[in-house]
Amino acid sequence: MNYQETIDFLYNQLPMFSRIGASAITPGLDNTYRLCEKLGYPERNFKSIHIAGTNGKGSTSHMLAAILQNSGYTTGLYTSPHLWDFRERIRINGELMEKQAVADFVEEIMPLIEELKPSFFEITVAMAFKYFSDNKVDFAIIETGMGGRLDSTNVIRPELSVITNIGMDHTDKLGNTLEAIAREKAGIIKLNTPVIIGATHPDTSVIFREVAAEMNAPIYFADQIWRNIRHYAENNLLHVEYFNAIRNQSISIATDQLGVYQVKNIPGVLEAVARLREKGYDLPEDKMMEAFTSVAKLTGLRGRWETLCKRPKIVADVCHNVDGLSAVLQQPEIQQAEKLHIILGMVRDKDISGMLSLLPKEAAYYITRANIPRAFSEEELLKKVTALGLKASKYPEVNAALESAVKNAGSNDLILVCGSFFLVAELDLESIKKISLP
């Protein structure tokens, strides 16, 4: 098969969570272990950092990858889902996996695919491990998919683990309490391996401490170590100041990641860097600072409070649960806009009511859906939105909704596209580039 045929096979022949939901998930790690065994255990050929969490794990993964890469380490990065290109999931030093390598990998393991009937995610995890091994990366940042304990990525032996935060998401698979979800995420904590917790919460901290003690794993609560003093946006950078009382150290970070929610993600990154330095890895301060200002350029991170057009301002954010949407709606630009237009689409296995309860009353809403079976239909979502007294109209797909929003928007308005990774992924970026209001 050529590359396109290979991608069609992966999307259409393998069980895929984004398309069909929880039924795509294979219980346990047996398939991943079998795949890795067949491939000669490629995950053992590089150093790794394992990252889990409800929100912020993608941003944290990219920021850490940028720092390692800018410090001279050949750095692999595995994240999911992708937005516009399958190969966004697997990168080395920011470069997408080669198309031929994707096709060659699937051809090589086709007999095992036919035998094991693995999921799409299991195949992509094994693909990433082999690609990183073949290309002799120094480090790989590995982001979990959904949980932790039974996540396909949880066969690695990392240098350290990072758990960004815990929220109510994927409750059908992970549990319907914060404690239950925390226990699943805590499954990435490994024996004698440092673990960094991004956000302290009374319902989850006890779980993390308990599991860390069982594994003799040193545990660090990053938000307790790095205290935010202030933050502000200036010159297309988010400036954040922290004070570390343990080290009696102040630090000022400037990052190209303008989402205010990054204020909560950066402490986990800073503490991860501190622990890596403690292990002897050379991560110079100036290289770290440079990396923070160029995360998107170094690693290709997209869809986190990303400005796609300036007049009117069109922003895309992949927030897709209650905590994520709540964080996005605190963005200062939302309050500063003359009028707010929100293009919204969601998938069924989210807390729809919880997310809708956060929506600002004064905004205009353009209700649509992503082209996947899991998507909440625009008709159903419109009924729920209008029942809250919000002004809304419906559209069959996101670009039609965006076209309408642009027609209705003034040059000082803000158009926000959010609610689902898959909705943002269907934006026509080339058409957006041509939008310009006087």
Side-chain angles (χ1 to χ4, degrees):
M1 294 186 290
N2 61 28
Y3 173 73
Q4 190 55 55
E5 291 168 339
T6 301
I7 292 299
D8 291 343
F9 170 79
L10 292 174
Y11 287 170
N12 299 317
Q13 299 301 318
L14 301 181
M16 188 176 180
F17 178 80
S18 63
R19 189 176 69 242
I20 63 177
S23 62
I25 299 172
T26 306
L29 300 176
D30 289 350
N31 278 352
T32 307
Y33 280 123
R34 288 286 306 279
L35 288 164
C36 289
E37 179 185 25
K38 176 70 174 178
L39 295 167
Y41 301 105
E43 75 282 6
R44 300 179 184 177
N45 294 333
F46 48 82
K47 304 291 186 183
S48 61
I49 299 171
H50 207 185
I51 299 180
T54 302
N55 293 299
K57 63 183 187 288
S59 295
T60 298
S61 296
H62 280 263
M63 285 189 276
L64 272 174
I67 292 167
L68 285 163
Q69 178 183 331
N70 206 48
S71 298
Y73 294 97
T74 301
T75 306
L77 177 61
Y78 175 76
T79 59
S80 62
H82 64 272
L83 285 172
W84 293 287
D85 188 319
F86 167 82
R87 298 173 301 141
E88 294 169 24
R89 295 169 179 258
I90 305 171
R91 305 172 187 261
I92 296 177
N93 285 354
E95 296 295 325
L96 303 180
M97 182 175 180
E98 296 170 3
K99 290 183 176 181
Q100 191 59 49
V102 175
D104 290 347
F105 174 83
V106 173
E107 182 177 351
E108 176 185 348
I109 67 161
M110 188 61 75
L112 203 56
I113 292 176
E114 294 172 352
E115 176 189 344
L116 298 179
K117 303 293 190 292
S119 69
F120 173 90
F121 190 73
E122 288 167 333
I123 288 296
T124 61
V125 168
M127 184 187 298
F129 291 164
K130 186 169 190 301
Y131 190 64
F132 296 155
S133 176
D134 288 349
N135 286 274
K136 297 180 172 57
V137 302
D138 300 313
F139 257 102
I141 310 297
I142 307 295
E143 179 196 9
T144 64
M146 181 186 301
R149 183 175 65 93
L150 297 177
D151 190 84
S152 297
T153 62
N154 202 27
V155 299
I156 59 175
R157 302 170 182 175
E159 292 293 289
L160 58 85
S161 304
V162 181
I163 302 174
T164 57
N165 58 54
I166 301 298
M168 298 298 288
D169 200 11
H170 299 299
T171 54
D172 56 330
K173 280 291 180 182
L174 303 180
N176 57 11
T177 66
L178 290 177
E179 294 92 332
I181 296 171
R183 195 165 292 281
E184 289 298 315
K185 306 283 187 183
I188 72 165
I189 299 175
K190 301 296 193 302
L191 188 67
N192 302 322
T193 302
V195 58
I196 294 157
I197 309 300
T200 306
H201 190 286
D203 293 340
T204 61
S205 297
V206 63
I207 304 296
F208 294 138
R209 290 188 188 279
E210 176 188 318
V211 176
E214 291 171 356
M215 303 302 290
N216 194 36
I219 185 168
Y220 306 90
F221 289 84
D223 60 337
Q224 301 301 308
I225 299 170
W226 301 92
R227 301 279 189 168
N228 177 226
I229 301 170
R230 68 173 184 141
H231 59 270
Y232 59 94
E234 185 176 85
N235 298 327
N236 292 317
L237 293 171
L238 176 67
H239 297 260
V240 194
E241 295 181 21
Y242 297 96
F243 179 69
N244 185 323
I246 297 172
R247 304 182 181 98
N248 193 28
Q249 173 190 3
S250 294
I251 190 169
S252 297
I253 302 294
T255 178
D256 62 343
Q257 297 305 298
L258 288 166
V260 172
Y261 47 78
Q262 302 295 6
V263 171
K264 295 182 179 180
N265 293 327
I266 291 172
V269 177
L270 292 174
E271 194 57 24
V273 169
R275 295 304 138 196
L276 290 171
R277 286 171 175 165
E278 191 175 71
K279 283 173 166 278
Y281 295 104
D282 184 22
L283 300 170
E285 193 78 357
D286 61 334
K287 296 297 184 182
M288 180 181 78
M289 294 301 189
E290 288 174 3
F292 271 120
T293 65
S294 305
V295 177
K297 180 180 178 181
L298 289 168
T299 71
L301 179 60
R302 303 289 303 270
R304 275 69 170 184
W305 195 259
E306 181 178 357
T307 299
L308 302 176
C309 179
K310 293 184 177 179
R311 292 178 67 86
K313 189 166 188 175
I314 301 173
V315 173
D317 198 284
V318 296
C319 62
H320 54 280
N321 52 42
V322 170
D323 290 346
L325 181 60
S326 176
V328 165
L329 293 176
Q330 294 173 33
Q331 198 70 20
E333 291 95 324
I334 286 179
Q335 282 71 48
Q336 295 164 3
E338 287 191 5
K339 185 174 181 180
L340 176 62
H341 306 258
I342 297 181
I343 298 172
L344 186 67
M346 301 179 183
V347 295
R348 290 183 175 277
D349 49 10
K350 302 295 178 184
D351 179 3
I352 302 293
S353 297
M355 292 178 72
L356 295 183
S357 70
L358 300 172
L359 297 177
K361 303 294 184 185
E362 65 277 7
Y365 291 89
Y366 306 76
I367 306 303
T368 185
R369 59 168 294 167
N371 186 28
I372 58 171
R374 284 173 62 216
F376 214 75
S377 77
E378 64 272 29
E379 291 85 5
E380 293 173 284
L381 191 54
L382 179 68
K383 288 179 183 177
K384 290 183 176 292
V385 170
T386 54
L388 296 173
L390 303 177
K391 180 182 177 182
S393 48
K394 66 180 176 70
Y395 302 86
E397 55 90 30
V398 66
N399 293 294
L402 179 59
E403 183 180 357
S404 179
V406 170
K407 286 180 181 177
N408 295 331
S411 59
N412 295 319
D413 289 357
L414 172 62
I415 300 172
L416 172 63
V417 185
C418 65
S420 166
F421 258 97
F422 310 104
L423 191 74
V424 172
E426 293 179 11
L427 285 169
D428 183 345
L429 301 183
E430 291 304 312
S431 294
I432 292 172
K433 288 178 184 178
K434 299 174 185 177
I435 296 171
S436 180
L437 293 183

